[in-house]
Amino acid sequence: MSVISLRGRVAGIFLGLLCAMGAQAQYDFNPSQTSKSQGASDQRTRAKIHTELAALYFQAGNPAVALEELRIALSADSSYYQALGIRGLVHASLREYAKADDDFRRALDMAPNDPEVNNNYGWYLCDTGKERQSIAYFLNALKHPLYETPDRAYTNAGTCALKAGDLDGAQNYLLKALSMARDPAMPARLQLAKLFFQRGNFDESRVYLTEALRMMEPPTADALWLGLRLERRQGNRDAEAGYASQLRSRYPASAEYQEFLKGNFE
């Protein structure tokens, strides 16, 4: 996310906050409107606003400010489980896994069927070596009838099943993600390219990789590495060299390039 777009989103949120404050000022002139329920509503609104700010700062690569915004959100409303879910992601990104696990579990205790909390906790489990355990949380997210992004949960389930070595399950989830997606679904296509590479279906792998690369700017290190190995398997030396050149120039410090230097093409 660019700094400009972040500033625009933050400005919009603060404008909403100012409007809410203005509306509250009108209520303050009418003593009959002041009540415990109004106060609770105000605290929930404050928690929501600071949680949204935290998510924006986290996406912009500023976890310290995100954590401060989440502290404010939870001080306003300790039962706002969405803030706990976001804080779990921030702690996980900082490798503070005990704190992340505690936040996710508290959020799930409050809202065991919330699709976003389940999806995010599933991804946390997958990212910390518990791929098989993660699948149940993605599937739980998909049970919610009003979940707006089921393709994302299916993509995550497919990605984690692939990491766990369940190729059949991964293919099923990823194809469902493509069928339900309202956008080009680049992550699902890249994972399908990896899956078909593992199956030895190199033509199918190339189709999905080519589609995924068209949607990337710039191409990721793992996509270039897959392309390099795919072309090497099929003996296309010029194409292999092209991928190697991009990997070297764009990601010389990446794990993928180090594997290339070692000759670990499997």
Side-chain angles (χ1 to χ4, degrees):
M1 175 177 294
S2 70
V3 174
I4 293 175
S5 63
L6 172 64
R7 287 174 179 167
R9 287 288 302 277
V10 170
I13 289 172
F14 274 119
L15 179 60
L17 175 60
L18 289 173
C19 291
M21 290 172 64
Q24 178 59 32
Q26 294 179 16
Y27 283 121
D28 289 342
F29 285 108
N30 186 349
S32 66
Q33 296 293 330
T34 59
S35 64
K36 289 183 179 180
S37 61
Q38 182 64 46
S41 176
D42 291 345
Q43 292 299 90
R44 175 55 58 95
T45 298
R46 187 164 183 256
K48 182 177 184 294
I49 288 168
H50 284 284
T51 298
E52 290 176 349
L53 283 170
L56 291 169
Y57 281 115
F58 178 47
Q59 290 173 25
N62 199 333
V65 177
L67 287 173
E68 176 59 18
E69 292 293 339
L70 291 165
R71 184 194 65 77
I72 296 170
L74 290 165
S75 294
D77 186 347
S78 61
S79 67
Y80 194 61
Y81 64 86
Q82 292 92 333
L84 289 169
I86 297 296
R87 196 169 69 176
L89 291 174
V90 178
H91 282 310
S93 75
L94 297 172
R95 300 180 183 274
E96 296 173 342
Y97 297 125
K99 291 180 179 179
D101 200 67
D102 181 64
D103 280 338
F104 281 125
R105 290 187 179 279
R106 287 173 61 194
L108 282 168
D109 284 344
M110 294 179 190
N113 297 316
D114 182 83
E116 288 296 341
V117 174
N118 275 276
N119 181 69
N120 290 342
Y121 185 54
W123 187 252
Y124 162 74
L125 289 174
C126 181
D127 201 42
T128 52
K130 301 180 181 68
E131 296 90 353
R132 292 190 181 276
Q133 291 175 242
S134 73
I135 304 299
Y137 291 93
F138 299 129
L139 297 182
N140 201 37
L142 289 163
K143 292 177 183 177
H144 198 288
L146 300 180
Y147 189 27
E148 294 183 353
T149 55
D151 57 300
R152 187 173 64 177
Y154 273 123
T155 298
N156 289 343
T159 300
C160 297
L162 183 60
K163 288 177 67 177
D166 178 8
L167 301 189
D168 289 338
Q171 184 169 333
N172 180 49
Y173 295 137
L174 291 168
L175 290 175
K176 282 186 177 179
L178 285 187
S179 70
M180 302 182 76
R182 288 177 283 182
D183 56 35
M186 182 276 292
R189 295 178 192 281
L190 179 59
Q191 294 304 316
L192 281 166
K194 293 178 181 179
L195 185 150
F196 284 115
F197 179 81
Q198 288 192 33
R199 287 195 182 280
N201 190 337
F202 301 131
D203 290 338
E204 195 78 5
S205 178
R206 179 182 282 107
V207 169
Y208 283 109
L209 178 60
T210 301
E211 291 174 352
L213 285 169
R214 288 197 191 107
M215 304 166 194
M216 292 183 192
E217 186 52 49
T220 60
D222 64 333
L224 293 173
W225 178 231
L226 176 61
L228 186 156
R229 290 179 294 148
L230 179 60
E231 299 302 341
R232 183 180 181 85
R233 282 289 188 91
Q234 297 199 299
N236 300 323
R237 297 306 181 192
D238 289 343
E240 177 190 346
Y243 279 118
S245 177
Q246 288 193 69
L247 190 60
R248 183 187 307 110
S249 62
R250 293 178 184 274
Y251 306 104
S254 67
E256 289 84 357
Y257 186 61
Q258 301 313 306
E259 291 299 300
F260 169 73
L261 292 176
K262 295 174 186 175
N264 294 335
F265 296 103
E266 297 301 320

